[in-house]
Amino acid sequence: MHPTVAEPTAPFPASTHDHASCRDWILRRAESLCAEKKVRFTPQRREVLEILAASHRALGAYDILEHMHRVERRPPPAAVYRALEFLLALGVIHRMAGRNAYFACTRPEHGRGEIQFWICRRCGVVGETESVVIAGEVPRLAATLGFQVGAVNMEIEGECQACRGC
Amino acid sequence: MHPTVAEPTAPFPASTHDHASCRDWILRRAESLCAEKKVRFTPQRREVLEILAASHRALGAYDILEHMHRVERRPPPAAVYRALEFLLALGVIHRMAGRNAYFACTRPEHGRGEIQFWICRRCGVVGETESVVIAGEVPRLAATLGFQVGAVNMEIEGECQACRGC
DNA sequence: GGTATATTGATACAGTATATCATGTCAAAC
DNA sequence: GTTTGACATGATATACTGTATCAATATACC
């Protein structure tokens, strides 16, 4: 099972949170999910997740690439995209379509419902919520349209509490 | 003021709707909005909107470019992007971030609330709704996060009624 | 160890979008 | 009617995002 530590962060990560343990939680969850699913958490995949888990910011694939400092040579873009694809499938990162950017998921368990991404346009930090109201409203709207729901993506851009204080 | 014709289409455009008048409505609304705002609805901008209004599908910028048949030469990509930017600002088209695609807005008046985009993964047709429930839920969630909402983008991918019938 | 599978490396390229500077067009002021 | 200035477009180059393909390497399992 997953590490049963406390929820790593609030829905929107406060600047004061214990990020060392938050970061560890993200990595340990990935480890245990890989063990569960019998897939390999290779050094390359770990490195990409570590880079994302180092902050709560959404990073582009090429931003991640720049952080991958190898002694000999930098890996090709496809290496990053392969790792991102793997981590997305594992459920430990999310993709922000509106920004072509990726970030580490910090919520212990997302249900089948819809997730809302909140991104601060000043500091770039991303938060996540899972509203039961929206999770209920989407199927209701879909029913009136005769629409069969596949994937839902909801992104809210604005300013976080910390940045508004400045 | 805007043309006071009937609402052009249902939230999800039926295959049976009167598309000729729907198309005209989109173009005439753009004309009257440009007159209101004292900006120019140039032939190039009109052509891009006509291409989008020809269907209810979301098209990529380069798809649009291919439809721009000039006698002499095809305009450069930047021309399309400039027209798209103009039409976005005018409020007559929307951008689907998840697809890097653009489509003509068919809803008479969107309030300040959130719009939901529904895109069929089979036929590519896009519908729009404006849920009062979600419009109320977003500020409520934002308040609990201390987040100041800027732009909201919500996209639902799935299968429309017509395609499910197949 | 030998084989099948998964992963990574290497190279090339497709698709999306913008920067920059030159040129053209329109409409109002003179 | 010409000038002028703002807006719009053309032309060129390039940045950014993501994928295809095939070879080489590592891992797991027999």
Short mmCIF file of all heavy atoms in Angstrom, two decimals, chain C residues 7-30:
data_model
loop_
_atom_site.label_atom_id
_atom_site.label_comp_id
_atom_site.label_asym_id
_atom_site.label_seq_id
_atom_site.Cartn_x
_atom_site.Cartn_y
_atom_site.Cartn_z
P DT C 7 9.82 -0.54 -19.13
OP1 DT C 7 9.60 -0.29 -17.70
OP2 DT C 7 8.80 -0.16 -20.13
"O5'" DT C 7 11.20 0.15 -19.55
"C5'" DT C 7 12.38 -0.17 -18.81
"C4'" DT C 7 13.58 0.44 -19.48
"O4'" DT C 7 13.78 -0.17 -20.77
"C3'" DT C 7 13.48 1.95 -19.77
"O3'" DT C 7 14.43 2.60 -18.93
"C2'" DT C 7 13.78 2.08 -21.26
"C1'" DT C 7 14.47 0.75 -21.59
N1 DT C 7 14.35 0.29 -23.00
C2 DT C 7 15.50 0.19 -23.76
O2 DT C 7 16.60 0.47 -23.35
N3 DT C 7 15.29 -0.27 -25.04
C4 DT C 7 14.09 -0.61 -25.63
O4 DT C 7 14.04 -1.00 -26.79
C5 DT C 7 12.93 -0.48 -24.78
C7 DT C 7 11.56 -0.83 -25.32
C6 DT C 7 13.12 -0.04 -23.51
P DT C 8 14.54 4.20 -18.93
OP1 DT C 8 15.11 4.60 -17.62
OP2 DT C 8 13.29 4.78 -19.43
"O5'" DT C 8 15.68 4.44 -20.03
"C5'" DT C 8 16.97 3.87 -19.82
"C4'" DT C 8 17.81 4.08 -21.06
"O4'" DT C 8 17.22 3.40 -22.18
"C3'" DT C 8 17.98 5.54 -21.49
"O3'" DT C 8 19.37 5.85 -21.46
"C2'" DT C 8 17.40 5.58 -22.92
"C1'" DT C 8 17.51 4.13 -23.35
N1 DT C 8 16.55 3.66 -24.39
C2 DT C 8 17.03 3.20 -25.58
O2 DT C 8 18.22 3.16 -25.86
N3 DT C 8 16.06 2.78 -26.47
C4 DT C 8 14.70 2.79 -26.28
O4 DT C 8 13.92 2.39 -27.15
C5 DT C 8 14.26 3.29 -25.00
C7 DT C 8 12.79 3.33 -24.67
C6 DT C 8 15.19 3.70 -24.12
P DG C 9 19.91 7.29 -21.93
OP1 DG C 9 21.12 7.59 -21.15
OP2 DG C 9 18.79 8.25 -21.96
"O5'" DG C 9 20.35 6.98 -23.43
"C5'" DG C 9 21.31 5.98 -23.69
"C4'" DG C 9 21.81 6.08 -25.12
"O4'" DG C 9 20.81 5.54 -26.02
"C3'" DG C 9 22.10 7.50 -25.62
"O3'" DG C 9 23.28 7.43 -26.41
"C2'" DG C 9 20.86 7.84 -26.44
"C1'" DG C 9 20.45 6.49 -27.01
N9 DG C 9 19.03 6.29 -27.24
C8 DG C 9 18.01 6.50 -26.35
N7 DG C 9 16.83 6.19 -26.84
C5 DG C 9 17.10 5.76 -28.13
C6 DG C 9 16.21 5.30 -29.15
O6 DG C 9 14.99 5.18 -29.10
N1 DG C 9 16.89 4.96 -30.31
C2 DG C 9 18.26 5.05 -30.47
N2 DG C 9 18.72 4.68 -31.65
N3 DG C 9 19.09 5.47 -29.53
C4 DG C 9 18.44 5.81 -28.40
P DA C 10 23.99 8.75 -26.96
OP1 DA C 10 25.44 8.51 -27.04
OP2 DA C 10 23.49 9.92 -26.21
"O5'" DA C 10 23.41 8.83 -28.44
"C5'" DA C 10 23.40 7.65 -29.26
"C4'" DA C 10 22.92 7.98 -30.65
"O4'" DA C 10 21.50 7.70 -30.76
"C3'" DA C 10 23.09 9.45 -31.05
"O3'" DA C 10 23.61 9.50 -32.36
"C2'" DA C 10 21.68 10.03 -30.96
"C1'" DA C 10 20.82 8.81 -31.30
N9 DA C 10 19.48 8.82 -30.71
C8 DA C 10 19.13 9.28 -29.47
N7 DA C 10 17.85 9.16 -29.20
C5 DA C 10 17.32 8.57 -30.36
C6 DA C 10 16.02 8.18 -30.71
N6 DA C 10 14.97 8.33 -29.90
N1 DA C 10 15.84 7.63 -31.93
C2 DA C 10 16.90 7.50 -32.74
N3 DA C 10 18.18 7.83 -32.52
C4 DA C 10 18.32 8.37 -31.30
P DT C 11 24.14 10.88 -33.00
OP1 DT C 11 25.39 10.57 -33.72
OP2 DT C 11 24.10 11.96 -31.98
"O5'" DT C 11 23.03 11.20 -34.08
"C5'" DT C 11 22.63 10.15 -34.99
"C4'" DT C 11 21.33 10.52 -35.66
"O4'" DT C 11 20.23 10.29 -34.76
"C3'" DT C 11 21.21 11.98 -36.09
"O3'" DT C 11 21.27 12.04 -37.51
"C2'" DT C 11 19.86 12.45 -35.53
"C1'" DT C 11 19.19 11.14 -35.15
N1 DT C 11 18.24 11.26 -34.02
C2 DT C 11 16.96 10.79 -34.17
O2 DT C 11 16.57 10.27 -35.19
N3 DT C 11 16.15 10.94 -33.08
C4 DT C 11 16.49 11.52 -31.86
O4 DT C 11 15.68 11.60 -30.96
C5 DT C 11 17.85 12.01 -31.77
C7 DT C 11 18.32 12.65 -30.51
C6 DT C 11 18.65 11.85 -32.84
P DA C 12 21.14 13.44 -38.31
OP1 DA C 12 21.98 13.31 -39.53
OP2 DA C 12 21.34 14.57 -37.39
"O5'" DA C 12 19.61 13.42 -38.75
"C5'" DA C 12 18.97 12.18 -39.07
"C4'" DA C 12 17.48 12.38 -39.08
"O4'" DA C 12 16.97 12.36 -37.72
"C3'" DA C 12 17.03 13.71 -39.69
"O3'" DA C 12 16.23 13.45 -40.83
"C2'" DA C 12 16.25 14.41 -38.57
"C1'" DA C 12 15.89 13.27 -37.64
N9 DA C 12 15.75 13.67 -36.24
C8 DA C 12 16.67 14.31 -35.45
N7 DA C 12 16.26 14.55 -34.22
C5 DA C 12 14.97 14.02 -34.20
C6 DA C 12 14.00 13.95 -33.20
N6 DA C 12 14.18 14.43 -31.96
N1 DA C 12 12.82 13.36 -33.51
C2 DA C 12 12.65 12.88 -34.75
N3 DA C 12 13.49 12.89 -35.78
C4 DA C 12 14.65 13.47 -35.44
P DC C 13 15.70 14.69 -41.77
OP1 DC C 13 15.57 14.15 -43.13
OP2 DC C 13 16.51 15.90 -41.52
"O5'" DC C 13 14.23 14.96 -41.20
"C5'" DC C 13 13.41 13.84 -40.88
"C4'" DC C 13 12.22 14.30 -40.05
"O4'" DC C 13 12.61 14.55 -38.69
"C3'" DC C 13 11.57 15.61 -40.54
"O3'" DC C 13 10.19 15.37 -40.66
"C2'" DC C 13 11.86 16.58 -39.41
"C1'" DC C 13 11.86 15.64 -38.22
N1 DC C 13 12.49 16.18 -36.98
C2 DC C 13 11.78 16.10 -35.77
O2 DC C 13 10.65 15.60 -35.77
N3 DC C 13 12.33 16.60 -34.63
C4 DC C 13 13.55 17.13 -34.67
N4 DC C 13 14.06 17.58 -33.52
C5 DC C 13 14.30 17.21 -35.89
C6 DC C 13 13.73 16.73 -37.00
P DA C 14 9.32 16.24 -41.70
OP1 DA C 14 9.18 15.42 -42.92
OP2 DA C 14 9.80 17.63 -41.77
"O5'" DA C 14 7.91 16.24 -40.95
"C5'" DA C 14 7.50 15.08 -40.23
"C4'" DA C 14 6.55 15.50 -39.13
"O4'" DA C 14 7.30 15.96 -37.97
"C3'" DA C 14 5.61 16.64 -39.51
"O3'" DA C 14 4.32 16.33 -39.02
"C2'" DA C 14 6.21 17.85 -38.79
"C1'" DA C 14 6.82 17.22 -37.55
N9 DA C 14 7.98 17.93 -36.98
C8 DA C 14 9.16 18.22 -37.60
N7 DA C 14 10.01 18.85 -36.82
C5 DA C 14 9.35 18.97 -35.61
C6 DA C 14 9.70 19.54 -34.37
N6 DA C 14 10.89 20.12 -34.15
N1 DA C 14 8.80 19.49 -33.37
C2 DA C 14 7.61 18.91 -33.61
N3 DA C 14 7.16 18.33 -34.72
C4 DA C 14 8.08 18.40 -35.70
P DG C 15 3.05 17.24 -39.41
OP1 DG C 15 1.88 16.37 -39.45
OP2 DG C 15 3.39 18.12 -40.55
"O5'" DG C 15 2.92 18.16 -38.11
"C5'" DG C 15 2.66 17.52 -36.85
"C4'" DG C 15 2.57 18.59 -35.79
"O4'" DG C 15 3.89 19.14 -35.53
"C3'" DG C 15 1.67 19.78 -36.14
"O3'" DG C 15 0.88 20.03 -34.98
"C2'" DG C 15 2.65 20.91 -36.43
"C1'" DG C 15 3.80 20.55 -35.49
N9 DG C 15 5.12 21.06 -35.82
C8 DG C 15 5.79 20.97 -37.02
N7 DG C 15 6.99 21.50 -36.97
C5 DG C 15 7.11 21.96 -35.67
C6 DG C 15 8.18 22.63 -35.03
O6 DG C 15 9.27 22.95 -35.49
N1 DG C 15 7.87 22.93 -33.71
C2 DG C 15 6.69 22.61 -33.08
N2 DG C 15 6.56 22.96 -31.80
N3 DG C 15 5.68 21.98 -33.66
C4 DG C 15 5.97 21.70 -34.96
P DT C 16 -0.27 21.22 -35.03
OP1 DT C 16 -1.42 20.71 -34.28
OP2 DT C 16 -0.42 21.73 -36.42
"O5'" DT C 16 0.42 22.36 -34.18
"C5'" DT C 16 0.68 22.14 -32.80
"C4'" DT C 16 1.33 23.36 -32.20
"O4'" DT C 16 2.64 23.53 -32.78
"C3'" DT C 16 0.58 24.67 -32.45
"O3'" DT C 16 0.32 25.26 -31.19
"C2'" DT C 16 1.55 25.50 -33.30
"C1'" DT C 16 2.88 24.91 -32.92
N1 DT C 16 3.97 25.07 -33.92
C2 DT C 16 5.14 25.67 -33.53
O2 DT C 16 5.33 26.08 -32.40
N3 DT C 16 6.09 25.78 -34.51
C4 DT C 16 5.99 25.36 -35.81
O4 DT C 16 6.91 25.51 -36.59
C5 DT C 16 4.73 24.73 -36.16
C7 DT C 16 4.53 24.23 -37.55
C6 DT C 16 3.79 24.61 -35.21
P DA C 17 -0.52 26.66 -31.17
OP1 DA C 17 -1.16 26.75 -29.83
OP2 DA C 17 -1.31 26.79 -32.40
"O5'" DA C 17 0.65 27.74 -31.21
"C5'" DA C 17 1.65 27.72 -30.18
"C4'" DA C 17 2.69 28.76 -30.46
"O4'" DA C 17 3.45 28.42 -31.64
"C3'" DA C 17 2.14 30.17 -30.73
"O3'" DA C 17 2.46 30.97 -29.61
"C2'" DA C 17 2.86 30.62 -32.03
"C1'" DA C 17 3.98 29.61 -32.16
N9 DA C 17 4.42 29.33 -33.53
C8 DA C 17 3.69 28.77 -34.55
N7 DA C 17 4.36 28.64 -35.67
C5 DA C 17 5.62 29.16 -35.37
C6 DA C 17 6.78 29.31 -36.14
N6 DA C 17 6.88 28.93 -37.41
N1 DA C 17 7.86 29.87 -35.52
C2 DA C 17 7.77 30.24 -34.23
N3 DA C 17 6.71 30.15 -33.41
C4 DA C 17 5.67 29.59 -34.05
P DT C 18 2.11 32.53 -29.63
OP1 DT C 18 1.84 32.90 -28.24
OP2 DT C 18 1.17 32.85 -30.70
"O5'" DT C 18 3.53 33.15 -30.03
"C5'" DT C 18 4.67 32.74 -29.29
"C4'" DT C 18 5.92 33.42 -29.85
"O4'" DT C 18 6.18 32.92 -31.19
"C3'" DT C 18 5.81 34.94 -29.99
"O3'" DT C 18 6.94 35.50 -29.34
"C2'" DT C 18 5.84 35.19 -31.50
"C1'" DT C 18 6.63 33.99 -31.99
N1 DT C 18 6.37 33.62 -33.40
C2 DT C 18 7.42 33.65 -34.29
O2 DT C 18 8.55 33.96 -33.97
N3 DT C 18 7.10 33.27 -35.57
C4 DT C 18 5.85 32.90 -36.04
O4 DT C 18 5.68 32.60 -37.21
C5 DT C 18 4.80 32.91 -35.06
C7 DT C 18 3.41 32.51 -35.47
C6 DT C 18 5.10 33.25 -33.80
P DA C 19 7.04 37.07 -29.07
OP1 DA C 19 7.24 37.27 -27.62
OP2 DA C 19 5.92 37.75 -29.75
"O5'" DA C 19 8.38 37.46 -29.83
"C5'" DA C 19 9.40 36.47 -30.03
"C4'" DA C 19 10.55 37.08 -30.82
"O4'" DA C 19 10.46 36.65 -32.21
"C3'" DA C 19 10.57 38.61 -30.86
"O3'" DA C 19 11.92 39.04 -30.88
"C2'" DA C 19 9.84 38.93 -32.16
"C1'" DA C 19 10.26 37.76 -33.05
N9 DA C 19 9.25 37.37 -34.04
C8 DA C 19 7.91 37.17 -33.83
N7 DA C 19 7.24 36.80 -34.89
C5 DA C 19 8.21 36.76 -35.89
C6 DA C 19 8.15 36.44 -37.25
N6 DA C 19 7.03 36.08 -37.88
N1 DA C 19 9.30 36.50 -37.97
C2 DA C 19 10.43 36.85 -37.32
N3 DA C 19 10.61 37.18 -36.05
C4 DA C 19 9.45 37.11 -35.37
P DT C 20 12.24 40.63 -30.74
OP1 DT C 20 13.48 40.71 -29.98
OP2 DT C 20 11.03 41.36 -30.29
"O5'" DT C 20 12.54 41.05 -32.25
"C5'" DT C 20 13.28 40.17 -33.08
"C4'" DT C 20 13.34 40.73 -34.48
"O4'" DT C 20 12.30 40.14 -35.29
"C3'" DT C 20 13.15 42.25 -34.57
"O3'" DT C 20 14.19 42.78 -35.37
"C2'" DT C 20 11.79 42.41 -35.22
"C1'" DT C 20 11.72 41.16 -36.08
N1 DT C 20 10.35 40.71 -36.44
C2 DT C 20 10.14 40.20 -37.71
O2 DT C 20 11.03 40.09 -38.52
N3 DT C 20 8.85 39.80 -37.96
C4 DT C 20 7.77 39.88 -37.11
O4 DT C 20 6.66 39.51 -37.45
C5 DT C 20 8.05 40.44 -35.81
C7 DT C 20 6.95 40.57 -34.81
C6 DT C 20 9.31 40.82 -35.54
P DC C 21 14.57 44.40 -35.26
OP1 DC C 21 15.99 44.51 -34.90
OP2 DC C 21 13.54 45.09 -34.48
"O5'" DC C 21 14.42 44.84 -36.78
"C5'" DC C 21 14.89 43.96 -37.82
"C4'" DC C 21 14.08 44.18 -39.08
"O4'" DC C 21 12.80 43.51 -38.97
"C3'" DC C 21 13.76 45.65 -39.38
"O3'" DC C 21 14.08 45.89 -40.74
"C2'" DC C 21 12.26 45.75 -39.11
"C1'" DC C 21 11.82 44.35 -39.54
N1 DC C 21 10.48 43.95 -39.06
C2 DC C 21 9.67 43.14 -39.88
O2 DC C 21 10.12 42.78 -40.97
N3 DC C 21 8.43 42.79 -39.46
C4 DC C 21 8.00 43.22 -38.28
N4 DC C 21 6.77 42.84 -37.90
C5 DC C 21 8.79 44.03 -37.42
C6 DC C 21 10.02 44.37 -37.85
P DA C 22 14.07 47.38 -41.34
OP1 DA C 22 15.48 47.75 -41.59
OP2 DA C 22 13.21 48.26 -40.52
"O5'" DA C 22 13.35 47.15 -42.74
"C5'" DA C 22 13.56 45.92 -43.42
"C4'" DA C 22 12.39 45.64 -44.35
"O4'" DA C 22 11.26 45.18 -43.57
"C3'" DA C 22 11.91 46.87 -45.13
"O3'" DA C 22 11.70 46.52 -46.49
"C2'" DA C 22 10.61 47.27 -44.43
"C1'" DA C 22 10.11 45.92 -43.93
N9 DA C 22 9.27 46.00 -42.73
C8 DA C 22 9.61 46.51 -41.51
N7 DA C 22 8.65 46.44 -40.61
C5 DA C 22 7.60 45.84 -41.30
C6 DA C 22 6.31 45.49 -40.90
N6 DA C 22 5.82 45.70 -39.68
N1 DA C 22 5.51 44.91 -41.83
C2 DA C 22 6.00 44.69 -43.06
N3 DA C 22 7.21 44.98 -43.54
C4 DA C 22 7.97 45.56 -42.60
P DT C 23 11.38 47.71 -47.57
OP1 DT C 23 12.03 47.31 -48.83
OP2 DT C 23 11.64 49.02 -46.94
"O5'" DT C 23 9.82 47.56 -47.76
"C5'" DT C 23 9.27 46.30 -48.14
"C4'" DT C 23 7.77 46.34 -48.04
"O4'" DT C 23 7.38 46.47 -46.65
"C3'" DT C 23 7.11 47.51 -48.77
"O3'" DT C 23 6.25 46.97 -49.74
"C2'" DT C 23 6.35 48.27 -47.68
"C1'" DT C 23 6.18 47.19 -46.61
N1 DT C 23 5.97 47.67 -45.21
C2 DT C 23 4.81 47.36 -44.57
O2 DT C 23 3.92 46.71 -45.08
N3 DT C 23 4.71 47.83 -43.28
C4 DT C 23 5.66 48.57 -42.59
O4 DT C 23 5.47 48.93 -41.44
C5 DT C 23 6.86 48.87 -43.33
C7 DT C 23 7.94 49.66 -42.68
C6 DT C 23 6.97 48.41 -44.60
P DG C 24 5.48 47.96 -50.78
OP1 DG C 24 5.45 47.27 -52.09
OP2 DG C 24 6.00 49.34 -50.67
"O5'" DG C 24 4.01 47.93 -50.19
"C5'" DG C 24 3.39 46.66 -49.95
"C4'" DG C 24 2.12 46.87 -49.16
"O4'" DG C 24 2.46 47.37 -47.85
"C3'" DG C 24 1.16 47.89 -49.78
"O3'" DG C 24 -0.12 47.29 -49.83
"C2'" DG C 24 1.18 49.06 -48.78
"C1'" DG C 24 1.52 48.36 -47.48
N9 DG C 24 2.15 49.16 -46.44
C8 DG C 24 3.38 49.78 -46.50
N7 DG C 24 3.70 50.41 -45.39
C5 DG C 24 2.61 50.18 -44.56
C6 DG C 24 2.38 50.63 -43.23
O6 DG C 24 3.11 51.30 -42.51
N1 DG C 24 1.15 50.18 -42.76
C2 DG C 24 0.25 49.42 -43.48
N2 DG C 24 -0.88 49.09 -42.88
N3 DG C 24 0.47 49.00 -44.71
C4 DG C 24 1.66 49.42 -45.19
P DT C 25 -1.26 48.00 -50.77
OP1 DT C 25 -1.91 46.90 -51.50
OP2 DT C 25 -0.70 49.18 -51.48
"O5'" DT C 25 -2.30 48.52 -49.68
"C5'" DT C 25 -2.73 47.63 -48.66
"C4'" DT C 25 -3.49 48.41 -47.59
"O4'" DT C 25 -2.57 49.12 -46.74
"C3'" DT C 25 -4.45 49.46 -48.15
"O3'" DT C 25 -5.69 49.26 -47.50
"C2'" DT C 25 -3.82 50.78 -47.73
"C1'" DT C 25 -3.12 50.36 -46.43
N1 DT C 25 -2.01 51.22 -45.96
C2 DT C 25 -2.02 51.68 -44.68
O2 DT C 25 -2.91 51.44 -43.89
N3 DT C 25 -0.94 52.47 -44.32
C4 DT C 25 0.13 52.81 -45.13
O4 DT C 25 1.04 53.51 -44.71
C5 DT C 25 0.09 52.29 -46.47
C7 DT C 25 1.21 52.59 -47.41
C6 DT C 25 -0.97 51.52 -46.82
P DC C 26 -7.04 49.83 -48.27
OP1 DC C 26 -7.94 48.69 -48.49
OP2 DC C 26 -6.64 50.74 -49.38
"O5'" DC C 26 -7.67 50.72 -47.10
"C5'" DC C 26 -7.69 50.18 -45.77
"C4'" DC C 26 -7.70 51.33 -44.78
"O4'" DC C 26 -6.39 51.92 -44.71
"C3'" DC C 26 -8.66 52.47 -45.16
"O3'" DC C 26 -9.59 52.63 -44.11
"C2'" DC C 26 -7.75 53.68 -45.34
"C1'" DC C 26 -6.53 53.29 -44.50
N1 DC C 26 -5.24 53.92 -44.92
C2 DC C 26 -4.43 54.56 -43.96
O2 DC C 26 -4.81 54.61 -42.79
N3 DC C 26 -3.27 55.12 -44.35
C4 DC C 26 -2.89 55.05 -45.63
N4 DC C 26 -1.71 55.61 -45.96
C5 DC C 26 -3.68 54.41 -46.61
C6 DC C 26 -4.85 53.86 -46.23
P DA C 27 -10.95 53.52 -44.40
OP1 DA C 27 -12.08 52.60 -44.42
OP2 DA C 27 -10.70 54.44 -45.53
"O5'" DA C 27 -11.01 54.39 -43.07
"C5'" DA C 27 -9.99 54.23 -42.07
"C4'" DA C 27 -9.71 55.57 -41.42
"O4'" DA C 27 -8.42 56.06 -41.86
"C3'" DA C 27 -10.71 56.66 -41.78
"O3'" DA C 27 -10.86 57.52 -40.67
"C2'" DA C 27 -10.04 57.38 -42.93
"C1'" DA C 27 -8.58 57.33 -42.46
N9 DA C 27 -7.60 57.43 -43.53
C8 DA C 27 -7.75 57.08 -44.85
N7 DA C 27 -6.68 57.29 -45.58
C5 DA C 27 -5.77 57.81 -44.69
C6 DA C 27 -4.43 58.24 -44.83
N6 DA C 27 -3.78 58.20 -46.00
N1 DA C 27 -3.80 58.72 -43.73
C2 DA C 27 -4.48 58.75 -42.57
N3 DA C 27 -5.72 58.37 -42.30
C4 DA C 27 -6.32 57.90 -43.42
P DA C 28 -12.09 58.59 -40.60
OP1 DA C 28 -13.19 57.92 -39.89
OP2 DA C 28 -12.32 59.19 -41.94
"O5'" DA C 28 -11.51 59.73 -39.64
"C5'" DA C 28 -10.46 59.40 -38.72
"C4'" DA C 28 -9.40 60.47 -38.73
"O4'" DA C 28 -8.57 60.33 -39.92
"C3'" DA C 28 -9.94 61.90 -38.76
"O3'" DA C 28 -9.28 62.65 -37.78
"C2'" DA C 28 -9.62 62.39 -40.19
"C1'" DA C 28 -8.36 61.60 -40.49
N9 DA C 28 -8.10 61.40 -41.92
C8 DA C 28 -8.97 60.97 -42.88
N7 DA C 28 -8.45 60.88 -44.08
C5 DA C 28 -7.13 61.29 -43.90
C6 DA C 28 -6.05 61.43 -44.78
N6 DA C 28 -6.13 61.14 -46.08
N1 DA C 28 -4.87 61.86 -44.28
C2 DA C 28 -4.79 62.13 -42.97
N3 DA C 28 -5.75 62.04 -42.03
C4 DA C 28 -6.90 61.61 -42.57
P DA C 29 -9.63 64.18 -37.54
OP1 DA C 29 -9.80 64.34 -36.07
OP2 DA C 29 -10.71 64.57 -38.46
"O5'" DA C 29 -8.30 64.94 -37.97
"C5'" DA C 29 -7.04 64.44 -37.47
"C4'" DA C 29 -5.92 65.29 -38.02
"O4'" DA C 29 -5.69 64.96 -39.42
"C3'" DA C 29 -6.18 66.80 -37.97
"O3'" DA C 29 -4.98 67.46 -37.62
"C2'" DA C 29 -6.64 67.13 -39.39
"C1'" DA C 29 -5.86 66.11 -40.23
N9 DA C 29 -6.56 65.66 -41.43
C8 DA C 29 -7.88 65.32 -41.55
N7 DA C 29 -8.23 64.95 -42.77
C5 DA C 29 -7.05 65.04 -43.49
C6 DA C 29 -6.75 64.79 -44.84
N6 DA C 29 -7.65 64.35 -45.73
N1 DA C 29 -5.48 64.98 -45.23
C2 DA C 29 -4.57 65.41 -44.34
N3 DA C 29 -4.73 65.69 -43.04
C4 DA C 29 -6.01 65.48 -42.68
P DC C 30 -5.04 69.02 -37.35
OP1 DC C 30 -4.08 69.24 -36.25
OP2 DC C 30 -6.45 69.45 -37.21
"O5'" DC C 30 -4.44 69.63 -38.68
"C5'" DC C 30 -3.11 69.26 -39.08
"C4'" DC C 30 -2.91 69.63 -40.53
"O4'" DC C 30 -3.81 68.87 -41.35
"C3'" DC C 30 -3.20 71.09 -40.87
"O3'" DC C 30 -1.97 71.81 -40.97
"C2'" DC C 30 -3.95 71.05 -42.20
"C1'" DC C 30 -3.99 69.57 -42.56
N1 DC C 30 -5.28 69.14 -43.15
C2 DC C 30 -5.33 68.71 -44.48
O2 DC C 30 -4.29 68.71 -45.16
N3 DC C 30 -6.52 68.32 -45.01
C4 DC C 30 -7.62 68.33 -44.25
N4 DC C 30 -8.77 67.91 -44.82
C5 DC C 30 -7.59 68.76 -42.90
C6 DC C 30 -6.42 69.15 -42.38
#
